[in-house]
Amino acid sequence: MSSIDGRKSLARCSQVRLPGGGSIDTPILIPSFSSKGFHVDRGGKSEVRALLEFASEWLTDSMLVSAYDIHHGHLAKPDEMVKAPELTVVDSGGYEVRVEHDQSTSVHAPHAPKEWNVALLDEVLSSWPTRFAAAFVTFDHPSDRRSFAEQLEAAKAFAARYPGQLHTLLLKPETDNQKTLGKTLQQACASAEEFAAFDFLGVTEKELGATMLDRMYEIAKLRLALDDAAVATPIHVFGALDPLTSSLYFLAGAEVFDGLTWLRYAYRDGLCVYQANHGVLSIGSDQRDERVRAQTLTSNVHYLSTLRLEMRRFTLERDFSQFKHHADALRNVFDSLRATKLKGRI
């Protein structure tokens, strides 16, 4: 394990074997698609479906889609896809059936979820084409809260039901009264060896804590527990795909990141900005909004590719200057993480 000043380093690159052969290297920055927060017409067609069709031409590495959206026709069914990226993460629909929004949502419009259950999820996953490598995420529903032990057993049964694809165990709070993953992660750290059975270990950004440092601390604590148990399973942070927070979570030990910011904003100088502002600064004030959005999406994917390379270079030199933007801020926050209860370990 590489180190900074002789201590264990959290940031790393891994290689994940894909079903059917080949592999994909982490870190992985995954553009996500979801009907939640986007316009759906009276016929049930989501604007995100058109965005996916547009982006499929140049999304070659990875993407995340929701089984909920596929079932309800908001996105095309997998057998209708002409091609797919190296890895498709198939989320189980927990985000879409929640009334709450994620942290990057600028307008919290009313949300009325449709029917969703594990049987409907099974219909989607059972028909997933084997030619498209996928990571299936364990079932998550706000009305279905389980103990850590029950989550673990259910995830093992879930993985056994679909042996032809990769699997992500998404950890969730045990009860409705628990708003964060604190208690779940305590048990997870004590049972870290169990996660060797999974390809990815997922946590939701919003449930990690109330501050950035809290969230980084929980990720780091989990990563260290996995390392102590000699478990290489990468940590996937759901809902975190803006350049700054993805970089911070990467420094804390996470390797996989997804989110909708790439659809909502423009990535510029290491931050998210309004697409209209990016249009004025980089595309042209005389350009139609449709063109601004299209060019912004392609630019965002290119930005993620560049950020991924910066992360990979950081793992070689442990040099914060490998990050083109906000290197000093990243170092300062990381130093704050080192000063927490993890002092002396990282």
Side-chain angles (χ1 to χ4, degrees):
M1 180 66 64
S2 301
S3 64
I4 297 177
D5 298 338
R7 298 182 180 90
K8 185 176 288 187
S9 177
L10 298 168
R12 81 270 321 274
C13 301
S14 302
Q15 189 174 76
V16 178
R17 292 287 178 183
L18 296 174
S23 62
I24 188 168
D25 295 326
T26 70
I28 311 174
L29 297 157
I30 306 176
S32 299
F33 296 87
S34 173
S35 62
K36 186 175 179 180
F38 293 88
H39 178 68
V40 177
D41 64 25
R42 292 183 178 180
K45 187 174 181 180
S46 170
E47 66 174 310
V48 174
R49 181 168 183 153
L51 293 173
L52 175 55
E53 291 171 357
F54 166 72
S56 63
E57 293 298 318
W58 33 264
L59 274 182
T60 58
D61 294 331
S62 60
M63 69 177 180
L64 180 146
V65 296
S66 170
Y68 171 97
D69 283 332
I70 292 173
H71 172 77
H72 288 292
H74 300 324
L75 294 178
K77 296 185 182 300
D79 56 8
E80 298 173 3
M81 299 179 187
V82 177
K83 58 182 178 180
E86 281 188 275
L87 178 66
T88 301
V89 177
V90 186
D91 198 13
S92 65
Y95 174 68
E96 285 74 23
V97 296
R98 277 180 175 73
V99 175
E100 301 89 354
H101 293 262
D102 62 30
Q103 301 201 94
S104 70
T105 307
S106 57
V107 178
H108 290 192
H111 179 62
K114 297 182 179 180
E115 180 186 12
W116 189 240
N117 54 53
V118 71
L120 297 179
L121 172 63
D122 181 68
E123 288 182 15
V124 175
L125 301 185
S126 297
S127 61
W128 189 266
T130 56
R131 69 183 185 278
F132 294 154
F136 292 164
V137 182
T138 51
F139 183 68
D140 166 34
H141 197 287
S143 65
D144 181 27
R145 286 286 170 258
R146 304 182 183 188
S147 69
F148 170 76
E150 290 171 331
Q151 291 180 48
L152 188 60
E153 289 308 306
K156 290 178 179 179
F158 177 83
R161 200 154 61 245
Y162 312 105
Q165 298 292 358
L166 303 181
H167 298 92
T168 301
L169 167 53
L170 178 60
L171 295 172
K172 302 300 295 183
E174 295 183 303
T175 67
D176 290 336
N177 294 329
Q178 295 175 14
K179 302 304 180 184
T180 69
L181 284 166
K183 292 187 177 180
T184 301
L185 289 178
Q186 285 181 6
Q187 297 180 74
C189 289
S191 306
E193 69 282 352
E194 297 281 0
F195 302 120
F198 303 96
D199 302 288
F200 302 99
L201 179 58
V203 291
T204 301
E205 180 188 23
K206 193 172 183 179
E207 295 171 343
L208 283 170
T211 72
M212 175 57 70
L213 195 58
D214 288 343
R215 295 189 285 272
M216 291 177 67
Y217 173 76
E218 294 296 345
I219 293 170
K221 187 171 63 174
L222 180 58
R223 182 69 264 167
L224 288 169
L226 292 168
D227 289 347
D228 290 344
V231 174
T233 303
I235 297 173
H236 178 167
V237 183
F238 285 76
L241 196 67
D242 77 86
L244 189 56
T245 57
S246 294
S247 297
L248 289 169
Y249 295 149
F250 171 72
L251 293 172
E255 298 174 69
V256 185
F257 316 89
D258 81 87
L260 295 165
T261 52
W262 81 287
L263 287 175
R264 293 169 174 157
Y265 303 97
Y267 297 148
R268 185 180 182 85
D269 299 332
L271 297 171
C272 291
V273 302
Y274 291 122
Q275 291 187 12
N277 291 355
H278 176 68
V280 170
L281 294 172
S282 299
I283 301 173
S285 59
D286 61 335
Q287 299 301 307
R288 294 180 62 85
D289 290 343
E290 294 85 352
R291 182 175 181 183
V292 170
R293 187 175 202 184
Q295 289 193 217
T296 297
L297 296 186
T298 55
S299 173
N300 283 351
V301 171
H302 176 72
Y303 196 107
L304 292 174
S305 179
T306 300
L307 178 60
R308 183 172 182 250
L309 289 175
E310 292 176 5
M311 291 176 170
R312 292 182 64 82
R313 288 197 297 266
F314 176 84
T315 63
L316 297 176
E317 302 295 335
R318 307 294 161 177
D319 179 2
F320 285 87
S321 67
Q322 296 297 333
F323 292 100
K324 182 178 179 180
H325 302 289
H326 313 301
D328 289 342
L330 293 173
R331 179 191 294 275
N332 289 338
V333 178
F334 182 73
D335 285 345
S336 295
L337 177 65
R338 293 174 66 176
T340 64
K341 296 176 184 177
L342 301 175
K343 185 176 182 180
R345 294 210 64 189
I346 60 175

